[in-house]
Amino acid sequence: MSLIDTTAAMQRAGIRRLCVVSGEAGWALQQAIEWRTALPGDWLTLSDSDDFPQRVAPAALRTLLGREFQHAIFDARSGFHAEAFAALAGTLRAGSWLLLLTPPWRDWATQPDCDSLRWADVAEPIATPHFIHHLQQLMEQDQQVMLLHQHQHQHQHQHQHQHQHQHQHQHQSARTPALLDLPDWHCQAPQQQAQILQQLLKMPSGVAVITAARGRGKSALAGMLAKHNQHCLVTAPAKVSTEVLAAFAGEHFHFMAPDAILAMDAEPLAQWLIVDEAAAIPAPLLQQLVQRFPRVLMITTVQGYEGTGRGFMLRFCATLPQVQHFQLDEPLRWSAHDPLEQWLSQALLFEDAVESELDGEITIFPATSEQGALEAGYRLLASAHYRTSPIDLRRMLDAPGMRFWLAGTPENIVGALWLVEEGGLDKSLADAVWAGLRRPRGNLVAQSLAAHAGFAEAATLSSQRISRIAVLAAQRQRGIGSALVAAAQQQANGCDFLSVSFGYTESLWQFWQRCGFTLVRIGSQREASSGCYAAMAIRALTPAGEQLQQQAAQCFARDAVWLRDIIDLPFKTTEYPQTLNDDDWPLLAGFAWAQRPYEASYAALQRLVRASSQPLLEAILVQKQALSAVAQQAGLSGRKALVQCLRQETAEALIQCDASRAEQWQQQLASLQ
């Protein structure tokens, strides 16, 4: 069958296919050009390479959501951007080919992948063998994937290598997809949409939840509801993601950001609130939004790189009265038998973790990237944490410094813990981080304790940060989470402390406290992802870790009385002397003569202004005037200029307190810059 006939048959059956073009860069490009000439279509191309004049950069994938194309090329010759690949596949309509260009098959796994710069915290690209072998295995197993290899990869002798360019054509090998006997496709999605729409329009009150994979027409359905029932208000984590919804709603599209709705004094007069990508909105905000409207429609994607969402929505909805669940499963742009979606779902592990009964003993064991158990661990993390995406899969499989602990049995994973090695920076770099002059990649807690809490040694000590932890819902409250943390701690050889950064809630903090952690820092900004303040806690494992933990906890306790001004949490405060002391000097000098941030210096500045008053510091810290108002009165053009003046005032105050000590600090900090 010719390519044109095969493609026409795909169109009738409503399916799309993957074709892998594996070879040297120039050869792969040539193949792509031949396909483009042979088959009419959009041939949207995602690439970072100048070979393709008409191309979209993988990083710009957001602009593709909600649009559709016929045929596409994904250039993975120098790196594989997994989320962009998923997004591109989601835009292809029935009868499309997705051409994936890769390095030569035998070299692919050992070749540096430029995408690793995005997620591996490395200075130079690294090879990503575990992820690539995983893809290759699935490509070879799936008879629906077409393979075009420039060089046959069996029995290739060295001398052939030298003459490769002379007889390239001799070494081409191809596998054409097996024929599928599929009936002609007629899209069932519109009937399904119409049925759900009728039920929504009849709803007297309460909450409706629609979960669906990408390309199932959720946003279109929500737009139809807005059009039928004109008193709808739409909200979403980002307005850009509501374009499809807006197109269907027409002039009845009214958008407001979640925080803007909550800031309104009066109740909005809308009969419906439509929440698009609801699982990406922090639960505390969602809880408040739901209470304000008689009827709420929440929509969330259950797979694809936007996040899993299903576990989150089930847990969230369990807390609400009157919830109706709907599922859209009929794809709009392709048939339910589509080989491309099935392959992609396996490749990027989009299926959720399966909740099954666990027989026998739960054991805790370490996992390595060679085992399939790690993939089960990833699925579990993805169903528990909304923000887990293919970038995490790549990081888990191939980034350096990752460690994993799993609970259950290798066939049946019920809990997972992911650790990331941090710290070990040399002293001069740690000092530059402390001074706010450098932000090397990675080292989230180690850097934050240096740059914000003021402990440069936190970055030189070696630590392991608990990046994610998850336990299957059915197995919670059985001590599995604490057992995972305990295992990680017992096996953290040569490590000074374990750390964790989490969105602060009372119950989460109680869990970490039970695991033996001490709170050492709370950020002053609420995180967009959780709506909570970022808290950091550590658990010391060596005398050096112990010393850091004691000092950090003590400083935090001493600052708590002032932190209440900028962090809206019920701090327990103890009576600490608030006179300026030796611990305050380094922080204040770092603010005055380096780039330490204002919020991180807040408590120390409160103590300084009482020892040596300065006009702007006095207005902000003692009279509690707003930064913006003070900047305006002083004729300054915004926050940056104001902080610059506060640094100068701090320098003057320190000179007044102790001129020779101030001069020493000034020289010491000048030598870092």
Side-chain angles (χ1 to χ4, degrees), residues 631-657:
Q632 217 166 357
Q633 283 155 13
L636 297 166
S637 63
R639 184 188 154 103
K640 214 171 178 178
L642 175 64
V643 170
Q644 212 37 58
C645 287
L646 296 179
R647 293 189 195 278
Q648 282 156 4
E649 284 197 353
T650 304
E652 283 157 31
L654 289 172
I655 292 166
Q656 277 174 18
C657 290

Side-chain angles (χ1 to χ4, degrees), residues 452 555-566 578-580 584 587-588 597-610 621:
H452 298 114
C555 286
F556 181 62
R558 180 172 174 239
D559 290 350
V561 59
W562 306 109
L563 294 176
R564 286 185 297 195
D565 297 347
I566 53 174
Q578 292 295 336
T579 43
L580 208 59
D584 294 321
L587 299 176
L588 292 165
Y598 164 74
E599 274 84 4
S601 320
Y602 185 81
L605 288 169
Q606 286 283 12
R607 293 186 280 266
L608 175 71
V609 78
R610 285 160 176 78
L621 299 169

Side-chain angles (χ1 to χ4, degrees), residues 107-270:
D107 310 335
W108 188 10
T110 52
Q111 183 171 307
D113 183 313
C114 292
D115 191 58
S116 60
L117 291 173
R118 229 169 30 102
W119 46 261
D121 294 327
V122 286
E124 294 296 321
I126 55 171
T128 58
H130 298 111
F131 180 71
I132 301 306
H133 282 145
H134 160 75
L135 290 187
Q136 287 182 319
Q137 193 183 349
L138 290 174
M139 286 164 180
E140 288 185 324
Q141 281 169 4
D142 189 336
Q143 295 302 312
Q144 287 305 309
V145 174
M146 182 165 181
L147 299 177
L148 288 178
H149 293 311
Q150 179 181 7
H151 315 299
Q152 277 174 314
H153 40 284
Q154 298 89 11
H155 327 297
Q156 184 143 34
H157 300 300
Q158 208 46 53
H159 68 268
Q160 282 184 323
H161 253 324
Q162 276 110 46
H163 312 291
Q164 217 122 54
H165 48 271
Q166 294 153 17
H167 0 250
Q168 256 175 13
H169 296 290
Q170 285 169 246
H171 298 304
Q172 259 174 262
S173 67
R175 178 185 75 191
T176 47
L179 287 179
L180 284 173
D181 185 21
L182 290 174
D184 285 2
W185 172 61
H186 302 291
C187 183
Q188 301 298 311
Q191 288 95 300
Q192 201 179 19
Q193 280 177 328
Q195 276 172 332
I196 296 178
L197 182 60
Q198 287 314 311
Q199 286 173 279
L200 292 176
L201 291 170
K202 287 192 209 121
M203 244 175 80
S205 66
V207 178
V209 181
I210 296 180
T211 50
R214 291 197 50 212
R216 299 303 189 269
K218 309 182 288 302
S219 304
L221 177 56
M224 293 174 204
L225 176 67
K227 199 169 176 178
H228 275 276
N229 184 318
Q230 282 128 39
H231 305 283
C232 282
L233 190 58
V234 175
T235 193
K239 192 174 178 181
V240 292
S241 61
T242 57
E243 284 166 7
V244 178
L245 205 161
F248 279 88
E251 69 232 37
H252 302 300
F253 178 72
H254 307 289
F255 180 87
M256 266 182 96
D259 45 359
I261 297 177
L262 294 176
M264 288 167 68
D265 295 337
E267 295 295 314
L269 292 168

Side-chain angles (χ1 to χ4, degrees), residues 263-279:
M264 288 167 68
D265 295 337
E267 295 295 314
L269 292 168
Q271 296 178 8
W272 275 96
L273 173 69
I274 296 174
V275 189
D276 200 5
E277 287 307 343

Side-chain angles (χ1 to χ4, degrees), residues 421-470:
E421 293 172 8
E422 293 197 344
L425 307 187
D426 63 54
K427 184 162 178 352
S428 59
L429 178 54
D431 287 342
V433 169
W434 173 91
L437 303 169
R438 292 280 308 273
R439 286 306 306 260
R441 312 186 56 144
N443 296 299
L444 176 77
V445 171
Q447 286 210 55
S448 183
L449 287 179
H452 298 114
F455 296 99
E457 63 273 28
T460 58
L461 296 177
S462 89
S463 58
Q464 289 177 20
R465 174 170 64 83
I466 298 174
S467 145
R468 302 273 167 103
I469 180 170

Side-chain angles (χ1 to χ4, degrees), residues 45-56:
T45 303
L46 245 62
S47 174
D48 276 324
S49 161
D50 297 334
D51 296 2
F52 290 103
Q54 305 285 302
R55 67 174 197 272
V56 176

Side-chain angles (χ1 to χ4, degrees), residues 184-374:
D184 285 2
W185 172 61
H186 302 291
C187 183
Q188 301 298 311
Q191 288 95 300
Q192 201 179 19
Q193 280 177 328
Q195 276 172 332
I196 296 178
L197 182 60
Q198 287 314 311
Q199 286 173 279
L200 292 176
L201 291 170
K202 287 192 209 121
M203 244 175 80
S205 66
V207 178
V209 181
I210 296 180
T211 50
R214 291 197 50 212
R216 299 303 189 269
K218 309 182 288 302
S219 304
L221 177 56
M224 293 174 204
L225 176 67
K227 199 169 176 178
H228 275 276
N229 184 318
Q230 282 128 39
H231 305 283
C232 282
L233 190 58
V234 175
T235 193
K239 192 174 178 181
V240 292
S241 61
T242 57
E243 284 166 7
V244 178
L245 205 161
F248 279 88
E251 69 232 37
H252 302 300
F253 178 72
H254 307 289
F255 180 87
M256 266 182 96
D259 45 359
I261 297 177
L262 294 176
M264 288 167 68
D265 295 337
E267 295 295 314
L269 292 168
Q271 296 178 8
W272 275 96
L273 173 69
I274 296 174
V275 189
D276 200 5
E277 287 307 343
I281 293 176
L285 292 191
L286 214 46
Q287 197 84 45
Q288 291 172 274
L289 286 168
V290 168
Q291 287 159 5
R292 291 204 158 196
F293 296 85
R295 286 174 286 187
V296 180
L297 172 62
M298 294 197 281
I299 314 172
T300 203
T301 308
V302 290
Q303 48 103 304
Y305 65 86
E306 287 108 326
T308 43
R310 184 180 287 136
F312 171 87
M313 288 314 283
L314 288 174
R315 281 205 300 285
F316 180 76
C317 293
T319 64
L320 304 173
Q322 293 184 287
V323 181
Q324 277 184 283
H325 288 273
F326 299 101
Q327 212 167 344
L328 275 171
D329 40 31
E330 280 293 333
L332 273 174
R333 296 195 276 272
W334 53 83
S335 119
H337 305 290
D338 178 59
L340 176 60
E341 190 177 54
Q342 287 167 14
W343 184 85
L344 188 68
S345 193
Q346 279 187 299
L348 298 183
L349 308 190
F350 284 156
E351 307 92 352
D352 270 356
V354 186
E355 301 246 351
S356 54
E357 285 304 303
L358 187 73
D359 305 324
E361 197 63 25
I362 291 183
T363 55
I364 307 274
F365 57 97
T368 59
S369 358
E370 275 81 7
Q371 300 163 344
L374 193 53

Side-chain angles (χ1 to χ4, degrees), residues 539-586:
R539 171 163 189 169
L541 302 174
T542 63
E546 192 65 53
Q547 194 185 350
L548 170 72
Q549 179 175 297
Q550 274 176 352
Q551 287 178 324
Q554 197 174 337
C555 286
F556 181 62
R558 180 172 174 239
D559 290 350
V561 59
W562 306 109
L563 294 176
R564 286 185 297 195
D565 297 347
I566 53 174
I567 299 173
D568 180 22
L569 281 177
F571 282 103
K572 296 182 185 60
T573 54
T574 29
E575 288 303 311
Y576 270 95
Q578 292 295 336
T579 43
L580 208 59
N581 70 11
D582 289 352
D583 292 341
D584 294 321
W585 266 85

